[in-house]
Amino acid sequence: MELHQLEAFSAVISAGSITGAGRLLGRSQPSVTRAIQDLELELGYALFDRKGPRVTPTQRAFLLYAEVERSLVGLDAIRASARAIGLDEARPLRMAATPSLAAALVPRALARSGAPADTHLRSAAAEHVVDALLSRAVDVGIATLPLAHGDIDLHYVIEAPCVAVLRNDDPLAQVPSLSLAQLAPRGLATVANRYRLRRGIDRAFEAAGLRAHVVLESNASLNAMMAAQAGLAIAIVDPATAFGTPVAGITTRALDVDIPFFYGVFSAAGRPLRQDAKALIEAIEAVSVDLLPGAKRHGAERHDALPARRESLASQHANDGAIA
């Protein structure tokens, strides 16, 4: 399995055709075709279904693509580092963060910390942030909890309460704090990650004896906020997105029930941190506390206890409602 074969495979997936891949790579169509055929021969299975000049990736191709892209991105990082070494330059500071945290916190933290001129930021799901840290492709990772891995160092956890987002002209926009009972009859937009923030939202409604009427769920809180702007729904989202990426025409309101949002700042275990990475880690904490109302910092040793506390909070709210 050779590098030019993997590059050809990646380019065909990206371009959707052999001809397009050739243009991306600056190679002839026959050379790309031959590279793909040689790769398939070595693997022992087809990567593309061929219908005349058109090709369609097989399911196996999509599975392989994730691995190939990870390797090619890592190779690009090695090339960048090699060039920097040859020019006696510092290598780029590399980061990975979940989309909401990448957009809301990282640019502000980079500006505050005096980041190096060359910074690479990758926006990815929490599981892919872990992969980037474990493969040493990034120096710093920021992701939502839970995220406990033996080969990753957690520096601290930030907690801040979730909020509701609604159009300025919605009657509930005049209410300073919204209850789940006020939100339950309305169409809601929120995230779809079952084991992270969405779990806390669902548990809060269940504990209150209510059912959330979700009309739009997405992998990104910003999409839920845009649904609120369009008047499609009221959004329940993480505070980083609500306050870090504000959208015109909408209002952010507190909830009368605490649905905590947790995220941590990580680095690869056993790997000495650069000074600019240390400064960035400190800046992320400062930006979080300044930007997010009610934000609190917890030590890394609280990682396991915090999600458990979110579960107990939901049970407590249920008991309070029963007593009332």
Side-chain angles (χ1 to χ4, degrees):
M1 192 176 300
E2 299 181 13
L3 176 59
H4 77 278
Q5 295 171 342
L6 300 179
E7 289 176 332
F9 167 68
S10 176
V12 173
I13 292 280
S14 297
S17 70
I18 299 290
T19 302
R23 284 196 295 265
L24 289 175
L25 296 172
R27 301 182 195 170
S28 68
Q29 180 177 335
S31 70
V32 174
T33 299
R34 186 165 54 253
I36 296 296
Q37 290 173 340
D38 289 345
L39 180 59
E40 290 177 322
L41 183 63
E42 183 172 348
L43 294 173
Y45 54 81
L47 294 170
F48 298 95
D49 293 326
R50 293 159 173 84
K51 296 179 181 179
R54 304 180 66 86
V55 295
T56 302
T58 64
Q59 188 60 41
R60 285 173 170 169
F62 282 117
L63 293 173
L64 180 62
Y65 179 68
E67 298 296 330
V68 169
E69 275 302 286
R70 187 179 299 116
S71 298
L72 293 179
V73 168
L75 181 59
D76 287 341
I78 293 172
R79 286 170 173 160
S81 295
R83 285 194 296 268
I85 291 170
L87 296 172
D88 295 322
E89 296 176 346
R91 68 171 178 81
L93 178 63
R94 299 191 293 259
M95 304 179 59
T98 52
S100 61
L101 301 174
L105 301 180
V106 174
R108 291 176 169 87
L110 289 170
R112 180 178 292 220
S113 67
D118 193 1
T119 303
H120 295 178
L121 171 60
R122 185 190 310 178
S123 178
E127 294 77 12
H128 293 158
V129 173
V130 171
D131 181 59
L133 287 165
L134 293 176
S135 64
R136 308 299 176 95
V138 298
D139 302 294
V140 177
I142 316 171
T144 51
L145 268 55
L147 201 70
H149 289 264
D151 291 330
I152 294 177
D153 287 336
L154 172 60
H155 295 272
Y156 54 80
V157 175
I158 298 293
E159 172 189 354
C162 292
V163 295
V165 174
L166 58 165
R167 275 172 62 113
N168 290 341
D169 58 1
D170 191 297
L172 290 181
Q174 307 307 314
V175 182
S177 178
L178 299 176
S179 69
L180 299 187
Q182 289 172 305
L183 298 178
R186 301 286 300 271
L188 301 179
T190 190
V191 290
N193 48 9
R194 292 183 300 152
Y195 299 117
R196 299 183 187 279
L197 178 58
R198 177 61 180 273
R199 179 174 175 82
I201 294 171
D202 289 343
R203 289 281 289 126
F205 274 92
E206 291 167 5
L210 300 168
R211 180 177 179 275
H213 177 44
V214 177
V215 298
L216 183 144
E217 58 181 5
S218 172
N219 64 332
S221 291
L222 183 59
N223 297 337
M225 288 175 56
M226 298 307 295
Q229 184 197 51
L232 175 65
I234 295 177
I236 300 179
V237 297
D238 66 88
T241 303
F243 295 104
T245 54
V247 175
I250 62 174
T251 297
T252 300
R253 289 289 178 261
L255 299 171
D256 71 347
V257 170
D258 184 16
I259 304 177
F261 174 63
F262 300 112
Y263 60 90
V265 179
F266 305 84
S267 62
R271 183 178 186 177
L273 279 171
R274 300 162 36 159
Q275 287 303 315
D276 51 7
K278 291 180 181 178
L280 175 64
I281 290 171
E282 294 175 0
I284 293 168
E285 176 187 353
V287 166
S288 297
V289 173
D290 289 348
L291 181 66
L292 310 181
K296 295 180 287 188
R297 179 193 186 278
H298 299 285
E301 72 280 357
R302 299 286 315 280
H303 174 278
D304 294 340
L306 289 171
R309 184 172 66 80
R310 181 163 58 193
E311 298 288 328
S312 65
L313 275 173
S315 299
Q316 178 184 334
H317 297 323
N319 293 333
D320 292 345
I323 293 172

